[in-house]
Amino acid sequence: MADQPSAAKLPVMSLPQGELLTLNVNDIPVIKDSLGPGIHYQPLFLDPEVGVWVVLAHFAPGAELPIHLHTGAVHAYTLKGSWAYREYPDQPQTEGSYLYEPGASVHKLFVPESNTEDTVVLYVVYGANINFSDDGQFHSVLDAVTIQGLTAQLSQAQGLGDINYLTGGAARYAAAKEA
């Protein structure tokens, strides 16, 4: 564990940290066709206990997500390409766009077929996406737990091996219970 001389000088408590929790997205394989054709992702941070998930999403031209409701807030930063919501086609998100979505927002993401390359977006999602079919029927839930399961299943099916991403703690007792 690394020495924390600066933390010891502060008049407040801090968590012990023996190393920086860092990774390089270039070391994380892209999981292909995860939620449908042309929808790929790289998991960066998945914490099912807190309900936070951070992914680098890659969308092929013409890709589309189902209509979904967010149970929590979403931060989206577009790194490459462009995309929009069917409900707001006049507000496309392009390279350099930062979008905040409050909880309880509903929309359907699409990537223009005219795009010449994949669109890449960094998402920080709190809670879940509740997905629906076009006729408004419940389809599925996408959250940190689901992404963890998809990552394990798809990485094995695609021959990617174990994928290293950051994750939160595990629920446990602070002190051992006597049997």
Side-chain angles (χ1 to χ4, degrees):
M1 183 180 282
D3 187 23
Q4 290 188 323
S6 56
K9 295 177 186 176
L10 299 178
V12 295
M13 299 298 289
S14 66
L15 290 173
Q17 183 176 345
E19 63 181 317
L20 291 177
L21 299 176
T22 185
L23 48 80
N24 189 311
V25 296
N26 296 318
D27 297 332
I28 300 172
V30 176
I31 299 173
K32 300 284 189 174
D33 299 320
S34 59
L35 302 175
I39 303 170
H40 323 300
Y41 76 99
Q42 293 170 279
L44 303 180
F45 177 77
L46 306 175
D47 189 339
E49 289 180 27
V50 177
V52 175
W53 41 294
V54 180
V55 297
L56 201 56
H58 302 252
F59 300 105
E64 191 164 347
L65 291 177
I67 189 167
H68 56 276
L69 172 132
H70 289 284
T71 64
V74 176
H75 300 267
Y77 179 70
T78 304
L79 297 161
K80 185 170 81 168
S82 68
W83 59 280
Y85 289 126
R86 293 283 180 208
E87 298 77 8
Y88 309 99
D90 59 336
Q91 296 178 12
Q93 301 300 300
T94 59
E95 185 174 324
S97 295
Y98 166 77
L99 174 68
Y100 171 75
E101 302 171 6
S105 60
V106 176
H107 40 249
K108 185 173 186 175
L109 181 149
F110 76 97
V111 176
E113 290 185 24
S114 59
N115 280 12
T116 58
E117 61 184 356
D118 280 2
T119 293
V120 180
V121 183
L122 175 67
Y123 287 104
V124 178
V125 183
Y126 295 83
N129 290 6
I130 310 299
N131 301 309
F132 298 91
S133 61
D134 284 340
D135 65 356
Q137 298 300 308
F138 172 79
H139 179 274
S140 59
V141 174
L142 187 63
D143 60 7
V145 173
T146 309
I147 297 289
Q148 276 188 330
L150 279 174
T151 299
Q153 292 171 359
L154 293 174
S155 63
Q156 181 180 13
Q158 295 178 17
L160 302 174
D162 292 334
I163 295 181
N164 192 30
Y165 55 84
L166 302 176
T167 187
R172 62 191 176 281
Y173 290 100
K177 290 181 84 174
E178 291 183 31

